[in-house]
Amino acid sequence: MVARQLDEQIAGRFPVGRRLRVLDVGTGQGTQALRLARAGHSVTGLESDAEMLASARAALASEPEGIRERVRLIEGDGRDTGVHFLPGSFDVVLCHGVLMYVEEPDPMLAGLARMLAPGGLLSLLVRNADALAMRPGLAGDFGAALAAFDSAAYTNRLGLTVRADRLDTLRATLAGIAAPLHAWYGVRVFTDNVGNDVELPAEELERVLTLEDRAGRTDPYRGVAALLHLCGVRG
């Protein structure tokens, strides 16, 4: 879903065929970085976890030379982008699944916005603090669901206690760092309690993707999605 939404925003903002300069902060195993490189873009992946970075490098090594030469992988923290790059160096900055591990996200977001050229796109994927009660509530853990109303902290699938973000708070932050919110989507509206290892027949999978795509851009459904995909544009 996030890839579909990101491609939609890129297509609506940049000329067809333009090779974009992309920064992927918290690149993980390199899924998005490699996908965008295959689409012809020049991608820099920034990752602080050595094991994740090794996985990304191994995945990159198996790609054709033409794709390998479009990807640069760097070990570093997303809070220190100014150490590695000059302001305005990128057309697109991705920060997916990272903010939940950052106690004070505003300085990091300001740094990411500075990396964008004018008109550049900032793509954030965050846990939705306004819907934290949904997962435990639908799973029948009503005590945890009640507690979720009073906290932005939650336990993720890795068993770590991390934090979630609220749409209105991020909207205000993006406006304050000159990258105001341009579009936003919900992700995992109906499927948050479905395990990542669950396999569906192709026809059923396509129905699920169609359902999630429509719900993720339709009120009130997107407001209770497990994740929020926010796209800001540098002024």
Side-chain angles (χ1 to χ4, degrees):
M1 282 297 96
V2 175
R4 289 187 183 188
Q5 295 157 2
L6 179 61
D7 288 348
E8 177 179 277
Q9 292 299 314
I10 288 175
R13 178 143 299 275
F14 301 102
V16 175
R18 176 176 166 183
R19 177 177 289 189
L20 302 175
R21 302 164 299 164
V22 180
L23 174 62
D24 185 11
V25 174
T27 196
Q29 297 176 336
T31 302
Q32 287 292 344
L34 292 178
R35 189 185 70 83
L36 290 168
R38 294 183 194 115
H41 304 303
S42 176
V43 185
T44 299
L46 187 66
E47 176 56 58
S48 61
D49 186 280
E51 290 187 11
M52 285 289 191
L53 189 60
S55 295
R57 285 175 171 156
L60 179 61
S62 66
E63 295 287 333
E65 181 179 356
I67 293 174
R68 293 200 306 271
E69 66 185 13
R70 289 198 289 269
V71 179
R72 178 170 57 141
L73 297 174
I74 299 173
E75 185 169 0
D77 195 298
R79 291 167 289 193
D80 299 324
T81 49
V83 174
H84 301 282
F85 315 110
L86 293 174
S89 295
F90 299 95
D91 303 301
V92 179
V93 173
L94 312 182
C95 183
H96 294 173
V98 175
L99 286 190
M100 54 272 292
Y101 298 102
V102 180
E103 187 172 345
E104 296 291 339
D106 286 8
M108 178 175 169
L109 288 172
L112 298 184
R114 284 193 292 271
M115 296 299 103
L116 284 169
L121 180 68
L122 175 61
S123 173
L124 307 174
L125 185 68
V126 302
R127 190 74 187 185
N128 183 7
D130 293 319
L132 285 181
M134 294 296 291
R135 180 192 286 179
L138 292 174
D141 188 347
F142 303 123
L146 282 170
F149 282 101
D150 301 314
S151 174
Y154 71 101
T155 301
N156 67 11
R157 295 178 188 271
L158 300 176
L160 301 175
T161 300
V162 290
R163 48 172 295 283
D165 290 281
R166 300 188 188 280
L167 175 63
D168 286 346
T169 301
L170 285 177
R171 189 195 302 272
T173 297
L174 291 173
I177 60 176
L181 186 65
H182 173 72
W184 68 278
Y185 307 86
V187 178
R188 285 185 176 257
V189 177
F190 298 111
T191 58
D192 190 42
N193 282 328
V194 179
N196 292 331
D197 57 346
V198 174
E199 295 186 10
L200 296 173
E203 183 177 341
E204 184 68 9
L205 177 60
E206 187 56 37
R207 277 198 291 264
V208 170
L209 292 174
T210 300
L211 173 67
E212 285 286 345
D213 180 65
R214 184 166 180 178
R217 60 182 73 237
T218 304
D219 292 322
Y221 302 102
R222 63 178 179 165
V224 296
L227 303 168
L228 299 176
H229 181 197
L230 292 84
C231 298
V233 173
R234 181 71 169 172

